[in-house]
Amino acid sequence: MDTYVPTTVDRKSTELERQAALHQIYTQVLERQPYEYERREIAKIEKEFLKGKLGVRHFIGEFIMSSVYLNNFYVGCSNLKFVEFSFKHLLGRAIKGHEEIAKYINLLMMEGVAAFFNEILGSEEYRKAFGGFTIPHAREIHFYESPRNYLQTNLLQHEHFGQRGKVIPTIYWQELKMDCETGTCVMPDAKIEKHQMHQSVGESKAKATVSQELTEEIEELLQMLQHSDARQVLQNMNENQRELLRNLAK
């Protein structure tokens, strides 16, 4: 995250540079390129951006209020997950803690999506980090207030939409000690039970192997006693066979 070179598009940028910037904006904000049918809805703002009539911040503000963005990250998502994705896309970081969650969840519920987005895009943090012409991106390592927040953001940057569901944000599944690295979240108890089940199966197989080996050894011992002189057999036995014989005699 600390080696990223920010992309800035201003009034002097060519249409080719704006085309490349548009691709990068979608990668950051939508996590993919829009489908053909989606582009019909955003065609007007795309055209205005490519002609230099909209800056990066203004274009993003229009785009995130479109159904293209909202249908992906707001409709069907929990408010918590929506806030987390919005922070990832617009501020390039994860939520810092429960106070920040409470503030933005309350704003979203009381005043709606437009007020929520205006708060983020109009914040001092956004202004200092990206201004009006720089495409949002994952922040430099020295920005984070704690190693936990840095790791949290790093995990979130590698999480694609829907990979771990639309309900539990990263900050919570970490606190719950859920294992979500495979893309499917598993509670710690389930993980332990699964481990114990594998361990139990392994032990059963081991016991079965030992039992089989013991049976074979007993059969061999009985054959020796049956077809040979008992005294001679005892003299030829090794210590393990003698111990086995003593156990069988108990």
Side-chain angles (χ1 to χ4, degrees):
M1 277 189 278
D2 54 341
T3 58
Y4 181 83
V5 178
T7 300
T8 300
V9 178
D10 56 28
R11 294 178 181 86
K12 297 179 181 178
S13 300
T14 65
E15 185 169 343
L16 192 63
E17 289 172 331
R18 287 179 171 274
Q19 283 279 9
L22 193 63
H23 187 281
Q24 192 173 327
I25 289 171
Y26 289 141
T27 300
Q28 169 65 25
V29 179
L30 188 61
E31 301 189 16
R32 61 174 172 80
Q33 299 306 299
Y35 300 126
E36 199 61 40
Y37 73 90
E38 292 175 323
R39 284 190 179 273
R40 288 195 287 271
E41 182 187 341
I42 55 178
K44 183 176 181 293
I45 59 172
E46 272 195 356
K47 186 177 180 180
E48 289 179 344
F49 177 76
L50 292 174
K51 287 187 174 182
K53 294 181 179 180
L54 293 179
V56 172
R57 178 181 169 277
H58 194 170
F59 173 80
I60 290 174
E62 295 281 341
F63 175 69
I64 56 181
M65 284 301 297
S66 71
S67 64
V68 177
Y69 184 83
L70 295 177
N71 284 344
N72 278 276
F73 298 100
Y74 181 63
V75 178
C77 283
S78 71
N79 284 341
L80 283 171
K81 196 64 180 176
F82 172 65
V83 171
E84 182 179 70
F85 275 129
S86 298
F87 269 65
K88 170 188 176 181
H89 298 153
L90 304 179
L91 292 176
R93 66 170 175 85
I95 304 168
K96 289 180 181 177
H98 294 282
E99 288 185 10
E100 196 165 55
I101 289 175
K103 173 187 174 182
Y104 282 92
I105 286 288
N106 185 63
L107 180 63
L108 179 63
M109 294 177 66
M110 299 299 292
E111 300 186 41
V113 174
F116 169 78
F117 283 141
N118 286 337
E119 180 69 20
I120 295 176
L121 294 177
S123 67
E124 185 70 6
E125 179 182 349
Y126 186 94
R127 187 189 67 78
K128 286 183 176 180
F130 310 116
F133 303 101
T134 299
I135 299 171
H137 54 83
R139 313 286 280 282
E140 293 85 354
I141 189 169
H142 60 72
F143 167 79
Y144 302 97
E145 59 184 16
S146 68
R148 177 183 173 83
N149 190 234
Y150 170 72
L151 292 172
Q152 181 84 27
T153 301
N154 196 31
L155 283 169
L156 187 60
Q157 294 301 330
H158 291 89
E159 175 185 355
H160 297 293
F161 171 63
Q163 184 182 353
R164 312 198 204 292
K166 301 179 181 181
V167 179
I168 304 176
T170 308
I171 192 172
Y172 281 161
W173 64 253
Q174 276 194 302
E175 289 178 3
L176 291 170
K177 294 181 170 52
M178 296 172 74
D179 178 12
C180 297
E181 293 304 321
T182 61
T184 302
C185 293
V186 180
M187 290 297 289
D189 292 343
K191 196 175 179 184
I192 292 170
E193 287 173 6
K194 189 175 181 181
H195 173 71
Q196 288 176 338
M197 183 177 71
H198 285 304
Q199 191 175 38
S200 177
V201 170
E203 289 175 354
S204 298
K205 288 181 179 178
K207 287 178 181 177
T209 303
V210 171
S211 177
Q212 180 66 24
E213 290 175 353
L214 186 60
T215 301
E216 291 172 357
E217 199 168 346
I218 291 172
E219 288 178 355
E220 182 183 349
L221 188 59
L222 289 174
Q223 287 175 1
M224 289 171 63
L225 290 170
Q226 186 177 357
H227 300 291
S228 306
D229 178 71
R231 187 180 298 276
Q232 184 66 35
V233 170
L234 286 171
Q235 288 177 351
N236 293 333
M237 280 183 183
N238 59 39
E239 188 55 38
N240 287 337
Q241 290 172 327
R242 290 172 185 270
E243 182 64 26
L244 177 60
L245 187 61
R246 281 193 290 268
N247 289 333
L248 288 173
K250 288 180 181 178

